[in-house]
Amino acid sequence: MANQAESLRILAIHAHPDDIEIQCAGTLARLKNLGCHITIATMTAGDCGSAEMGPVEIANVRRAEAKKAADMLGADYMCLEFRDLSIVIDQDSRQRVTEAVRKARPDIVITAPPVDYMSDHEMTSRLVRDACFGASAPNYTTHQFQPAPPTEKIPHLYYVDPIEGCDYFGNPIEPQFIIDISETFDLKINMLACHESQRAWLRKQHGLDEYLDGTERWSAARGEKIGAAYGEAFVQHCGHPYPSSNLLLQLLEK
């Protein structure tokens, strides 16, 4: 499996800078250790993520923070330049995300869950699902600058946990499987710590001052379910005609 991993390409795409770090950076680090090529993508640059800076200024800060975190992993980083709270399902959005999938050419895609606490996450999930399907269709044109060719196949698609593992009503959403990230947890936390602007934002907007501690508690709770110090949970999209073999688990199960 290690030899196979060296040829595999992984795309982790979520709504905002720091979402990937909170939800699946430990898993990405394990894949990187196997030799996989990793691309991290954010739909937005986080232009609403400040109570002090304007949208252009904070977006510049948050792009730089996301790039710094990706560099720690040895991953590529790209931003699709949507605006916060403005991700919608329409043709332009679908074309933009499809182009990102074609450029990354992934074997595995990891993205936001279909049900989560805010619309940007849910719209990202739907757009990425559609893009994974459409990326391999030769007659689907993205009308983007210097478009990439269609992909050869539909990638394996996985959803991360919703925040705190719950639906809108606080009911737990059970994952299909949990990856042990005990060995890569320190890197995950160091990547998350790159997003310094968000600690100030969460204190101001949500009254929270536990950016790193909260992530550690949730990772420990997921890890406990599999007898590990820390874990990250996933659900695989197995509907027709997406691949149903669990490649992610096969690569990382011990």
Side-chain angles (χ1 to χ4, degrees):
M1 193 61 71
N3 290 337
Q4 178 191 8
E6 293 176 1
S7 66
L8 295 178
R9 300 177 64 85
I10 316 297
L11 171 62
I13 176 170
H14 210 310
H16 313 107
D18 78 7
D19 287 332
I20 291 294
E21 287 78 359
I22 292 171
Q23 300 295 71
C24 64
T27 297
L28 295 180
R30 286 197 58 193
L31 291 167
K32 182 66 176 179
N33 289 342
L34 290 178
C36 298
H37 179 278
I38 312 291
T39 298
I40 293 175
T42 60
M43 297 285 279
T44 85
D47 57 281
C48 286
S50 177
E52 291 80 26
M53 289 179 272
V56 174
E57 184 180 3
I58 187 58
N60 287 336
V61 169
R62 297 197 69 190
R63 277 192 214 92
E65 290 173 343
K67 178 66 164 57
K68 181 179 179 181
D71 286 346
M72 291 185 69
L73 183 62
D76 295 337
Y77 171 70
M78 62 176 165
C79 179
L80 277 63
E81 302 299 338
F82 288 85
R83 302 297 297 272
D84 280 354
L85 302 176
S86 300
I87 303 174
V88 297
I89 306 295
D90 62 15
Q91 184 65 348
D92 175 73
S93 300
R94 191 174 288 109
Q95 289 170 328
R96 206 187 314 182
V97 180
T98 300
E99 184 63 32
V101 171
R102 286 178 174 174
K103 280 184 163 57
R105 314 199 74 74
D107 299 282
I108 293 173
V109 173
I110 300 173
T111 193
V115 174
D116 210 348
Y117 77 102
M118 69 170 301
S119 177
D120 278 356
H121 290 200
E122 294 180 338
M123 298 301 101
T124 294
S125 183
R126 172 64 184 275
L127 286 167
V128 172
R129 187 195 79 184
D130 290 352
C132 289
F133 183 93
S136 63
N139 288 343
Y140 184 69
T141 56
T142 64
H143 299 292
Q144 304 297 299
F145 180 68
Q146 294 183 337
T151 58
E152 291 76 25
K153 63 192 177 206
I154 295 173
H156 291 72
L157 176 60
Y158 296 88
Y159 303 118
V160 300
D161 258 340
I163 293 298
E164 298 179 350
C166 294
D167 65 15
Y168 310 125
F169 308 105
N171 300 313
I173 295 178
E174 289 301 317
Q176 289 179 348
F177 63 97
I178 297 170
I179 296 295
D180 183 350
I181 61 160
S182 305
E183 296 175 1
T184 56
F185 179 76
D186 286 347
L187 177 56
K188 170 189 175 78
I189 286 293
N190 289 335
M191 289 173 65
L192 182 57
C194 291
H195 297 272
E196 297 174 3
S197 67
Q198 288 312 283
R199 184 181 179 194
W201 164 249
L202 290 173
R203 281 202 305 264
K204 177 76 173 181
Q205 188 71 10
H206 300 296
L208 299 175
D209 192 16
E210 54 174 30
Y211 198 45
L212 303 181
D213 292 344
T215 298
E216 180 171 7
R217 283 198 301 274
W218 183 247
S219 299
R222 282 311 197 200
E224 184 178 13
K225 288 182 173 292
I226 57 169
Y230 299 106
E232 291 172 341
F234 300 90
V235 170
Q236 184 177 7
H237 187 105
C238 293
H240 175 81
Y242 293 78
S244 58
S245 61
N246 196 337
L247 179 58
L248 181 59
L249 184 59
Q250 290 168 10
L251 288 167
L252 297 179
E253 64 184 348
K254 292 184 176 180

